[in-house]
Amino acid sequence: MLDRQTEVATSVAERTRLRELEETYCSHGDTVHYTQEPKIFERCEGSFIYDDEDRAFLDLQMWYSAVNFGYANPRLNEAMRRQLDRLPQVASQYLHREKIELAAEIAEGALARFGHKGRVHFNVGGAQAIEDSLKLVRNACDGKSLMFAFEGGYHGRTLGASAITSSYRYRRRFGHFGERAHFVPFPYHFRGPRGMTKEEYGHHCVQQFARLFESEYNGVWDPKAGKCEYAAFYVEPIQGTGGYVIPPANFFPELKEVLDRHGILLVVDEIQMGFYRTGKLWSIEHFGVAPDIIVFGKALTNGLNPLSGLWAREALINPQAFPPGSTHSTFNANPLGTAVALEAMRMMQEEDFATSVAEKGARFLDGLNELKAKHAIVGDVDGLGLALRVEICEPHDSFTPSKAIVDRMVDEALKGDLVHGVERFGLVLDIGGYHKNVITLAPSLTISHAEIDLALALMDQLFTRVTPR
């Protein structure tokens, strides 16, 4: 008993020391201090992350969908160790086997899926890959710098990415953005007009966008020259930070027809939804359209050495169109990242994630629907594969957004005192949505059925705990 008391006292003292150092020396600009005292974690494994008292927290957001294959995945960790012992560093003006084979794997897969030959270009973070794609688009479109993007869309917080991300709060302190995107409504059916089916609302949204091209007086189209002022449309097939909003099946095929008629490129941001999060390698595959550019990152290395990149059609990215030096990053295509990514791509070929993710997602969504029927604070649930959403609302109408309840929910989940059987657990949740009232669920793709059931049981307790009385 005394040993345990000593351990707890030591843990508390160390936590206090770390918090004092963090408060004094760490910028809050590079992290998100949503809670007064952000949790300090010590280790992780599978679907769980552990604090300094070794209490287990079931992680249902997996580092914003970066750790699709589970924390401390033995196979991917071993791939990094092998590369560390063989070729851990090499400057980006030289080649190494892993970069070449990874690019070929992604490009050959895109050819098979979309029917277009293309090439792959690497960087180190999602926003950096978005920046590279903006250069690629502007280069291909005679320097046009204006883009379409969606309300609720998120593409990163570098300056260029902020210009095509709909939230003004990411731009507000950094001056005027003259090349800010034209933001178009996304078919967010739960908060759309009443009386329309999901498909009808999707069609309505496309038709509203198409109206921009009816005449020159709508401001984007010159019918005499047949030219649009805007170069590309940046889309997340499933909105990420916007709250895992899932569009109707007819939306993207109809939108692509409008884009093709007016010579507008389709750039698909798969940074959060790529690599089988939705049950397919690329979430855009669910909608049967071929993109011009795909931007990817996050789960490609399972959250290990950062790596991101883009795939683009040959006409946009061949060496004559986009020559050496068009972009550069010291650490792009780094050998540790490409080695882990190549092993991850092999795992995705060998394991039937298309089937397992769809099956697990259906099980999870069924459970969420049961929670919706039980708890008035749950206004909407939806999902595609293991990208799932729970929209939290005021209980009097199950519709009015309630950021306050969600904030309490996240804090309560991190206390680590939810009970299941004889054990206590915490939950790691992420907040998204237009009103910051959506719990966005991105569990590990390797999550077990028992862990899904545990997640639902803990969420049931949590919803009861935070419901106003």
Side-chain angles (χ1 to χ4, degrees), residues 22 25-33 63-64 157 173:
E22 195 269 347
Y25 297 115
C26 291
S27 164
H28 287 193
D30 65 353
T31 59
V32 184
H33 281 246
W63 202 357
Y64 318 122
R157 298 187 207 182
R173 298 185 311 280

Side-chain angles (χ1 to χ4, degrees), residues 215-378:
S215 80
E216 65 183 272
Y217 297 104
N218 288 319
V220 304
W221 179 247
D222 180 352
K224 291 184 178 179
K227 298 288 185 181
C228 182
E229 189 175 13
Y230 290 75
F233 202 139
Y234 275 74
V235 312
E236 295 168 285
I238 311 299
Q239 290 201 316
T241 301
Y244 284 23
V245 183
I246 298 167
N250 62 318
F251 177 70
F252 279 112
E254 292 184 21
L255 179 67
K256 186 66 161 59
E257 290 179 8
V258 177
L259 300 181
D260 288 347
R261 281 201 303 271
H262 299 98
I264 301 164
L265 298 175
L266 177 63
V267 184
V268 174
D269 180 339
E270 294 277 1
I271 294 166
Q272 189 164 164
M273 294 296 160
F275 306 111
Y276 286 99
R277 168 56 54 200
T278 65
K280 293 186 182 293
L281 182 67
W282 308 119
S283 62
I284 194 65
E285 293 180 65
H286 291 280
F287 305 103
V289 300
D292 296 294
I293 298 170
I294 299 171
V295 185
F296 54 82
K298 288 192 187 295
L300 179 58
T301 63
N302 204 45
L304 295 174
N305 221 60
L307 188 72
S308 66
L310 62 86
W311 168 91
R313 289 192 294 105
E314 178 74 7
L316 304 176
I317 202 173
N318 70 73
Q320 290 70 46
F322 204 63
S326 294
T327 77
H328 177 74
S329 171
T330 298
F331 301 107
N332 68 7
N334 62 85
L336 291 176
T338 51
V340 175
L342 190 58
E343 191 69 18
M345 294 298 292
R346 290 177 182 136
M347 284 175 54
M348 288 180 252
Q349 287 183 334
E350 295 166 10
E351 300 181 35
D352 188 3
F353 284 108
T355 298
S356 65
V357 168
E359 188 272 329
K360 290 175 183 178
R363 182 189 185 99
F364 213 140
L365 187 57
D366 284 346
L368 293 176
N369 274 304
E370 290 177 9
L371 294 182
K372 178 176 180 289
K374 182 177 178 180
H375 296 277
I377 62 170
V378 181

Side-chain angles (χ1 to χ4, degrees), residues 187-205:
Y188 181 6
H189 184 247
F190 180 64
R191 298 207 173 274
R194 301 296 91 183
M196 287 186 181
T197 66
K198 196 170 185 177
E199 289 70 26
E200 287 170 342
Y201 186 43
H203 177 72
H204 170 76
C205 288

Side-chain angles (χ1 to χ4, degrees), residues 14 25 33 151 165 172 221 226-227 248-249 299 301 337 358 393 418 454:
E14 176 65 3
Y25 297 115
H33 281 246
E151 294 175 3
T165 291
R172 181 179 59 81
W221 179 247
K227 298 288 185 181
T301 63
C393 303
L418 298 168
L454 173 62

